[in-house]
Amino acid sequence: MTPLIPFTARKYSNMVATIGFFDGVHLGHRCLIEQVINEARQCDMGAFIVTFSNHPRTVVKSGYQPKLLTTVPEKTELLRATGADACVILQFTPELAALTAKQFMEQILYREYGVKKIVVGYDHRFGSDKLSGLTHYQRIGRESGIEVLPAKKCVMGDFTVSSSFVRRLLEEGNVEQAEKCLGRSYELSGIVVEGHRVGRNIGFPTANLQPFSKEKLIPGCGVYAVEAMIDGRTYGAMLNIGRRPTLKNGENISVEAHIFDFNGNLYGESLSLRFRYRLRNERQFESLEKLQMQLGCDSLLARQLLSSV
């Protein structure tokens, strides 16, 4: 039995739960979890989140390479902040994938974790038998001692918030719209590694970020205004993601931040970047001098935008 991760001091023997991968813990997820919490409080039960440490598709679909919005530690802290009482992070294995919906309800939810109610997302499916709708889950739930409740949709304007929609926004570089869906700025963390030192020679030294997780999604190529977190302090910065065509970097994607008003050696240090605005597409310049002039303009715009945050 995978142990619970308690988020609050409250302890309950009976639980209201929801299940999902919850990548990004976006506003849609938080809307669902809020329904779980409300139901739990009305019934004097615990609000319980069941999630997974690895994407289920990596098990059921050979060769699938996820691009994740959150690492497991990031997701855990975001789930903690929702106000739920506890969560469990299961390893999604072939054995778990083989369980039918009824087996999962009875063996995992009911027997191991005392789940008496489950809130099911409007488009969520679980179990190897891939049941076709809410009524099927409710019938199996009654047989298993679990009441199955439907969740409400979370709609923003004319679209439904989902992890895949947020990924698409970030891949397009639309970090502002992604922030609205996430309810916070998207972040990318890693370690600073040595680069080519070209930026230093033209007056714009950069910290080259190597992300901690190879599965974490890197937003689309372009220039961004970001906030850089170093040792508990926040600095404004401009960031280039791309192939550095002016410098003939080939097909390698680099993540390089020029941090404003910072002096120091960051090699080997942790750096987190919070995406706020997209400034422009990456493009090739005729010379380093013209690149330098453009970076000066980017720097002024980034400072201006970040000063209004």
Side-chain angles (χ1 to χ4, degrees):
M1 178 176 178
T2 304
L4 289 176
I5 300 174
F7 290 158
T8 67
R10 292 186 290 266
K11 294 184 179 180
Y12 298 94
S13 56
N14 297 325
M15 297 285 194
V16 180
T18 189
I19 309 165
F21 188 58
F22 297 113
D23 187 27
V25 194
H26 54 63
L27 292 183
H29 294 143
R30 283 149 62 181
C31 179
L32 171 61
I33 294 168
E34 184 178 354
Q35 294 176 60
V36 172
I37 294 171
N38 290 339
E39 182 69 27
R41 298 296 173 259
Q42 292 175 19
C43 304
D44 193 28
M45 295 184 185
F48 179 45
I49 301 168
V50 180
T51 190
F52 306 97
S53 59
N54 56 316
H55 200 294
R57 287 186 196 166
T58 60
V59 173
V60 300
K61 185 178 179 181
S62 177
Y64 178 73
Q65 298 291 327
K67 291 296 182 182
L68 303 181
L69 304 173
T70 43
T71 62
V72 173
E74 289 170 342
K75 180 167 68 173
T76 303
E77 291 310 304
L78 289 167
L79 290 175
R80 185 190 303 275
T82 63
D85 296 303
C87 86
V88 64
I89 303 176
L90 302 173
Q91 176 74 19
F92 198 85
T93 62
E95 293 74 22
L96 191 62
L99 295 179
T100 64
K102 185 174 183 179
Q103 289 171 331
F104 186 79
M105 283 189 188
E106 291 180 346
Q107 298 175 24
I108 307 296
L109 299 182
Y110 188 84
R111 294 177 191 170
E112 292 199 18
Y113 299 110
V115 173
K116 297 299 188 293
K117 295 187 178 188
I118 179 173
V119 181
V120 177
Y122 76 97
D123 63 347
H124 185 65
R125 300 288 181 269
F126 63 89
S128 61
D129 42 349
K130 294 182 173 61
L131 299 181
S132 59
L134 178 67
T135 55
H136 292 87
Y137 287 104
Q138 289 176 323
R139 175 179 57 79
I140 289 174
R142 286 191 293 270
E143 296 170 358
S144 306
I146 297 175
E147 182 181 359
V148 178
L149 304 171
K152 302 173 185 176
K153 283 187 180 182
C154 179
V155 178
M156 291 180 59
D158 58 353
F159 59 86
T160 300
V161 181
S162 68
S163 297
S164 58
F165 182 65
V166 176
R167 288 188 200 103
R168 186 162 67 251
L169 289 172
L170 290 170
E171 287 168 349
E172 294 169 354
N174 192 346
V175 295
E176 294 96 332
Q177 189 64 47
E179 178 174 334
K180 293 178 182 178
C181 294
L182 290 169
R184 66 183 187 285
S185 300
Y186 185 68
E187 292 190 18
L188 184 66
S189 299
I191 192 160
V192 178
V193 297
E194 192 163 350
H196 298 282
R197 300 180 182 240
V198 175
R200 178 178 302 179
N201 294 333
I202 59 175
F204 293 93
T206 59
N208 295 267
L209 189 75
Q210 179 177 295
F212 288 130
S213 171
K214 292 181 179 179
E215 294 184 338
K216 186 80 183 274
L217 186 149
I218 297 174
C221 293
V223 180
Y224 299 86
V226 302
E227 293 171 325
M229 283 73 74
I230 305 167
D231 291 333
R233 294 189 62 184
T234 302
Y235 300 84
M238 64 177 183
L239 175 73
N240 185 82
I241 296 177
R243 298 177 174 84
R244 307 194 314 163
T246 306
L247 303 175
K248 297 179 174 55
N249 199 45
E251 292 301 308
N252 295 325
I253 298 292
S254 61
V255 181
E256 301 176 285
H258 172 66
I259 303 169
F260 304 143
D261 308 315
F262 176 83
N263 292 305
N265 185 354
L266 289 175
Y267 292 141
E269 300 295 327
S270 296
L271 173 65
S272 293
L273 302 174
R274 186 182 295 140
F275 288 77
R276 302 311 306 265
Y277 303 97
R278 181 181 175 89
L279 303 182
R280 61 174 174 84
N281 294 333
E282 185 184 44
R283 69 176 190 268
Q284 186 170 358
F285 294 90
E286 296 176 2
S287 65
L288 284 180
E289 289 75 16
K290 290 192 175 181
L291 171 61
Q292 185 180 34
M293 290 176 61
Q294 181 61 56
L295 292 178
C297 295
D298 296 337
S299 174
L300 289 173
L301 179 57
R303 285 180 181 271
Q304 180 182 1
L305 290 171
L306 292 171
S307 67
S308 65
V309 174

